[in-house]
Amino acid sequence: MRGLGSQDGASRGRQPFIKTWLLLANMADVDQGSALPSETTSPALDSLNNDTVSNGTDSINATVTKFVSTPEGTALAYGSLVFMALLPIFFGALRSVSCSKSKVAAENDYGFQSRNSSDMPETITSRDAARFPIIASCTLFGLYLFFKVFSQEYINLLLSMYFFVLGILALSHTMSPLMNRIFPANIHIKQYQLLFTQDSGENKEEIVNYEFDTKDLVCLCISTVVGVWYILKKHWIANNLFGLAFALNGVELLHLNNVSTGCILLGGLFVYDVFWVFGTNVMVTVAKSFEAPIKLVFPQDLLERGLGASNFAMLGLGDIVIPGIFIALLLRFDVSLKKNTRTYFYTSFLAYIFGLGLTIFVMHTFKHAQPALLYLVPACIGFPVFVALIKGELTEMFRYEETSPEAELAQKEEAEMEKKEN
């Protein structure tokens, strides 16, 4: 994926984090069965349920004695997961509109306003979309081989430290708009800048250029407390706080450049999801060994055991972020129409609810985990396309394209060159 904004080190430095996180998030979507497992799932998923107890507080008891959740507990767990999945999609899509507008701010020496890397979106092109399922498959299978050869403790230790840092940054960025509203106006706001460069003179290059203020420091402190809580306890609430922050940041900052690219990405991951869930045992092997906040979990025994509950229903973040970035694209398309309507956004949003609900229904009917993208992809693509066909805007939808700042800068430089020549 290509970074947006100026060609500075800050933007380049953030790209590996976003790409790596999206790979792991989508991998977790498959590893966890791409479904919301219950007490009626297959033996393979029973092992997944026991493994997810590592994010709880009573793994020994949960492993020895399998808890049979009540209908009320199951309904609460599934309803909570659906609600939590909708939050980052809705608010992430709204924030993606502001993020898209901000990338064309005032120019600096590089052509664009110098902004923190966390504020700049990543553009997913059709080439990126086509390659992503292959890269994700290689990542998944690589982890499978790693767990077969080495102890899972090593990779989980590295992942814990990686997500500790990344989770703090993601949660801090998520809290920032709220902090701007509630921060007392009478407190003096100090500005800070973290700058790392290499070489000097004409060869001087920025590696990190991060600007922040007092409010950002408060967000960072709160996020650090959550991070320490997660590292020490692996509590499901801390896991969900990080998971929601990751999902919201993903929907906000990962931008598809057009609808065709979105169809390629969702279509490729549709095949990827179905293959790794139904075609091999790689998913089960990695899922039993993988520990990271890349899924949302909610206990089905919350009513009986309170916050110490340990029998979790779960939903991988890939089932949220992948459809979410497509829904966010449709919202930006709605804005581009300048009709003061959000037809395609609400259509795709309702389609997501329908697809996720259908996933849960089929899973309970057949007593087997279902790859959620099997139902989400046709719904999220089919519903808006059908509405566009009815409204006669199908061609306009597929012609809509967002240009990256690099492309805009290149076009502007080309236009300036032509003016000079003339």
Side-chain angles (χ1 to χ4, degrees):
M1 304 173 195
R2 299 170 60 187
L4 296 183
S6 63
Q7 299 297 309
D8 60 356
S11 295
R12 291 196 302 270
R14 183 176 58 89
Q15 293 175 30
F17 290 99
I18 290 184
K19 291 187 286 187
T20 304
W21 173 83
L22 184 58
L23 284 173
L24 293 175
N26 198 65
M27 184 205 66
D29 156 41
V30 176
D31 292 341
Q32 304 302 340
S34 297
L36 310 177
S38 69
E39 71 282 357
T40 57
T41 53
S42 64
L45 283 175
D46 287 347
S47 65
L48 292 187
N49 269 336
N50 288 335
D51 179 63
T52 57
V53 174
S54 61
N55 282 334
T57 59
D58 196 8
S59 59
I60 297 178
N61 291 336
T63 303
V64 175
T65 303
K66 183 162 178 55
F67 174 82
V68 178
S69 60
T70 62
E72 294 81 5
T74 300
L76 177 62
Y78 291 163
S80 299
L81 283 177
V82 172
F83 178 73
M84 287 191 292
L86 297 178
L87 287 178
I89 292 178
F90 185 84
F91 291 104
L94 294 178
R95 289 174 59 160
S96 77
V97 175
S98 301
C99 185
S100 180
K101 292 178 180 179
S102 68
K103 70 184 181 183
V104 291
E107 296 180 51
N108 65 356
D109 293 337
Y110 293 98
F112 292 88
Q113 180 182 7
S114 177
R115 298 179 54 83
N116 292 335
S117 59
S118 60
D119 296 329
M120 298 304 297
E122 294 270 356
T123 296
I124 302 176
T125 65
S126 57
R127 182 179 179 183
D128 298 323
R131 293 186 304 180
F132 188 81
I134 299 175
I135 298 173
S137 296
C138 293
T139 303
L140 175 61
F141 191 68
L143 282 173
Y144 170 78
L145 295 178
F146 190 96
F147 284 130
K148 284 290 186 180
V149 177
F150 301 100
S151 171
Q152 68 185 55
E153 295 179 1
Y154 296 112
I155 190 169
N156 281 327
L157 178 61
L158 292 174
L159 286 172
S160 294
M161 298 309 300
Y162 174 82
F163 281 100
F164 172 74
V165 175
L166 193 59
I168 289 174
L169 295 176
L171 188 58
S172 178
H173 179 261
T174 302
M175 295 170 55
S176 182
L178 178 62
M179 188 60 65
N180 289 335
R181 293 187 177 186
I182 66 175
F183 205 80
N186 58 345
I187 295 180
H188 178 64
I189 304 298
K190 294 183 178 180
Q191 301 291 329
Y192 305 92
Q193 183 178 25
L194 184 63
L195 178 63
F196 288 94
T197 62
Q198 67 179 10
D199 294 330
S200 60
E202 295 181 356
N203 297 325
K204 187 175 182 180
E205 182 179 2
E206 293 182 1
I207 303 300
V208 175
N209 186 356
Y210 190 79
E211 298 177 0
F212 57 98
D213 56 27
T214 306
K215 293 177 289 186
D216 296 322
L217 286 177
V218 174
C219 293
L220 198 62
C221 291
I222 297 174
S223 302
T224 302
V225 172
V226 176
V228 173
W229 182 23
Y230 174 77
I231 288 292
L232 295 180
K233 299 295 185 180
K234 294 294 194 296
H235 198 276
W236 61 274
I237 295 181
N239 173 90
N240 286 347
L241 289 175
F242 274 174
L244 289 170
F246 286 143
L248 190 146
N249 277 266
V251 175
E252 176 188 359
L253 298 175
L254 291 170
H255 287 197
L256 297 164
N257 62 349
N258 55 50
V259 174
S260 297
T261 299
C263 293
I264 293 172
L265 179 65
L266 268 66
L269 290 176
F270 172 90
V271 176
Y272 162 88
D273 207 17
V274 173
F275 174 77
W276 289 113
V277 170
F278 292 138
T280 73
N281 69 337
V282 173
M283 173 270 293
V284 177
T285 302
V286 179
K288 290 190 297 184
S289 308
F290 197 88
E291 295 180 9
I294 48 180
K295 59 184 177 294
L296 298 180
V297 298
F298 199 91
Q300 301 179 72
D301 51 346
L302 178 69
L303 298 177
E304 293 78 15
R305 299 181 179 177
L307 296 180
S310 56
N311 186 47
F312 294 106
M314 53 192 166
L315 179 67
L317 295 188
D319 289 330
I320 301 173
V321 177
I322 300 302
I325 60 179
F326 186 75
I327 294 172
L329 172 66
L330 292 179
L331 175 58
R332 298 193 297 274
F333 171 63
D334 277 324
V335 173
S336 73
L337 294 177
K338 299 180 181 179
K339 295 181 179 180
N340 294 323
T341 60
R342 300 293 182 265
T343 303
Y344 296 104
F345 170 66
Y346 290 125
T347 299
S348 57
F349 193 74
L350 292 175
Y352 180 85
I353 298 175
F354 170 80
L356 196 55
L358 185 60
T359 304
I360 298 173
F361 173 77
V362 173
M363 183 190 64
H364 275 287
T365 301
F366 293 97
K367 312 302 180 185
H368 193 281
Q370 301 294 315
L373 292 183
L374 176 64
Y375 307 96
L376 291 173
V377 169
C380 291
I381 294 179
F383 282 43
V385 168
F386 178 75
V387 171
L389 189 62
I390 295 298
K391 297 183 65 176
E393 296 176 340
L394 186 62
T395 301
E396 190 173 1
M397 173 188 284
F398 278 88
R399 283 181 177 176
Y400 172 73
E401 184 166 0
E402 297 180 348
T403 56
S404 67
E406 289 100 327
E408 293 176 1
L409 180 59
Q411 292 174 0
K412 186 167 185 178
E413 289 178 346
E414 184 178 350
E416 290 178 353
M417 291 293 293
E418 291 179 354
K419 288 182 180 180
K420 291 180 180 180
E421 290 178 355
N422 295 333

